[in-house]
Amino acid sequence: MDTNSHVLDHPPEGAAADWTIPQNWDRFTAEEHATWDTLFQRQAKLLPGRASRAYLKGLDALKLSESGIPNFAELSERLMKLTGWQVVAVPGLVPDDVFFDHMANRRFVAGNFIRRPDQLDYIQEPDVFHDVFGHVPMLADPVFADYLAAYGRGGNRALELGALKQLGRLYWYTVEFGLIAEPEGLRIYGAGIVSSSAESHFALEDPSPNRIGFDLKRVMRTDYRIDDFQQNYFVIPSFDELLRATVETDFAPLYEEILGQPDIPIATILPEDQVITHGTQEYALSRA
Ligand code: PHE
Ligand code: FE
């Protein structure tokens, strides 16, 4: 689930005041479970050597390899023991404040539908595969789990300070599309990458995108695209460092500073950037 704007301003019929709905796991058809299995098997093959250690450890600890769409009650029980997080179902995108409140209270909201068999490679709205396979393994990591809960608290603060767009970019470039430098090399941990077969290759192996060392203010000023592969990936040195740079920093003065500065266009490299890969942008150019 992303910090997108929403369609409704009140919970739809059948949803609770906090927008959650029963997962009704029994309602998924054999074909829907098979779609999960197909997606799972494809990604599980790709991720060793590409996904971060924390992600792979979480995938294993949560037993996500069991066949079929995970039952949220069972998944939450395992997750709760590890980091105090739960997974709850929602009908689709929810209002920003609702999204942040759940997160601050260690509840990850997940879409309650799965893509159709003809949408295996791409869907616009996050489904249960993106939300659970992409996001939930990282929530089994104690440091990342603390980061996301703090992000939820920071979200409501950003709403008050008029800096939702700036904070949203931090989510985008870490939680959704983050890379990490591990001793063996760059690895992916962002949910948008680990849940996508094509972007798992692209983010690490393609010469097109820039790969730039993570810098909080830089990230919060950088535009992004939502409809294609990224043209920039930001690389954190460790989850401890990400936590330190965000949780231990008061964002109010940062927002004030960057709200007065221009946004940084997609794909631009700045003189002060710590450039890991200077992308050719050939993929983006071929699509222009
Ligand atoms: N420290 C941030 C603030 O002062 C909150 C935050 C924490 C944001 C972690 C993102 C991640 O608003
Ligand atoms: Fe997401």
Side-chain angles (χ1 to χ4, degrees):
M1 189 70 43
D2 311 308
T3 52
N4 288 339
S5 57
H6 53 94
V7 198
L8 299 168
D9 58 7
H10 56 85
E13 217 185 296
D18 69 358
W19 289 68
T20 58
I21 53 174
Q23 187 196 17
N24 282 335
W25 185 83
D26 294 332
R27 154 193 72 88
F28 287 114
T29 64
E31 189 189 39
E32 289 174 318
H33 286 301
T35 297
W36 171 281
D37 290 346
T38 302
L39 289 164
F40 184 94
Q41 279 151 22
R42 185 166 75 171
Q43 285 312 96
K45 255 194 288 188
L46 253 160
L47 294 181
R50 288 197 177 85
S52 71
R53 291 174 182 173
Y55 176 89
L56 294 171
K57 196 174 164 194
L59 194 64
D60 190 52
L62 295 171
K63 304 198 193 317
L64 284 177
S65 61
E66 286 174 3
S67 177
I69 296 166
N71 181 315
F72 289 178
E74 290 169 13
L75 181 59
S76 294
E77 209 181 299
R78 292 190 185 122
L79 193 54
M80 178 63 91
K81 281 186 199 137
L82 295 168
T83 57
W85 274 79
Q86 287 172 271
V87 179
V88 295
V90 290
L93 295 175
V94 302
D96 295 319
D97 60 326
V98 175
F99 179 69
F100 294 139
D101 279 334
H102 280 301
M103 224 183 248
N105 291 293
R106 296 188 180 246
R107 288 187 297 268
F108 192 78
V109 297
N112 202 19
F113 68 98
I114 190 150
R115 67 196 72 183
R116 294 191 314 264
D118 62 309
Q119 299 172 307
L120 291 191
D121 291 315
Y122 187 77
I123 45 151
Q124 188 100 39
E125 213 193 340
D127 70 340
V128 65
F129 187 74
H130 168 83
D131 282 334
V132 173
F133 184 89
H135 286 281
V136 175
M138 287 308 301
L139 294 175
D141 180 79
V143 178
F144 198 84
D146 284 355
Y147 170 65
L148 211 61
Y151 184 95
R153 293 191 294 276
N156 280 326
R157 196 160 177 241
L159 274 176
E160 283 162 28
L161 296 169
L164 194 57
K165 186 167 151 197
Q166 285 64 33
L167 185 72
R169 290 167 172 160
L170 174 63
Y171 190 89
W172 190 264
Y173 283 120
T174 59
V175 180
E176 294 292 350
F177 291 97
L179 301 187
I180 181 168
E182 292 193 344
E184 299 78 17
L186 294 187
R187 295 291 184 266
I188 57 184
Y189 71 90
I193 314 177
V194 296
S195 64
S196 158
S197 150
E199 200 152 354
S200 292
H201 287 288
F202 183 84
L204 291 174
E205 293 141 35
D206 202 277
S208 291
N210 300 320
R211 298 177 184 88
I212 304 170
F214 178 87
D215 177 83
L216 181 59
K217 274 193 271 182
R218 201 304 185 191
V219 165
M220 292 204 291
R221 288 179 56 202
T222 307
D223 285 331
Y224 58 81
R225 51 186 313 163
I226 62 163
D227 59 344
D228 208 335
F229 298 147
Q230 300 304 300
Q231 287 169 254
N232 292 309
Y233 297 95
F234 289 96
V235 181
I236 58 167
S238 65
F239 294 112
D240 282 322
E241 187 51 35
L242 175 64
L243 192 70
R244 200 198 53 73
T246 53
V247 177
E248 294 175 16
T249 303
D250 178 4
F251 281 21
L254 296 189
Y255 292 148
E256 216 182 315
E257 186 185 335
I258 63 181
L259 283 169
Q261 296 174 331
D263 292 341
I264 302 169
I266 305 178
T268 305
I269 299 234
L270 303 177
E272 60 270 32
D273 282 338
Q274 182 216 332
V275 179
I276 296 162
T277 313
H278 193 147
T280 62
Q281 300 300 325
E282 66 187 84
Y283 172 80
L285 293 170
S286 78
R287 306 266 294 180

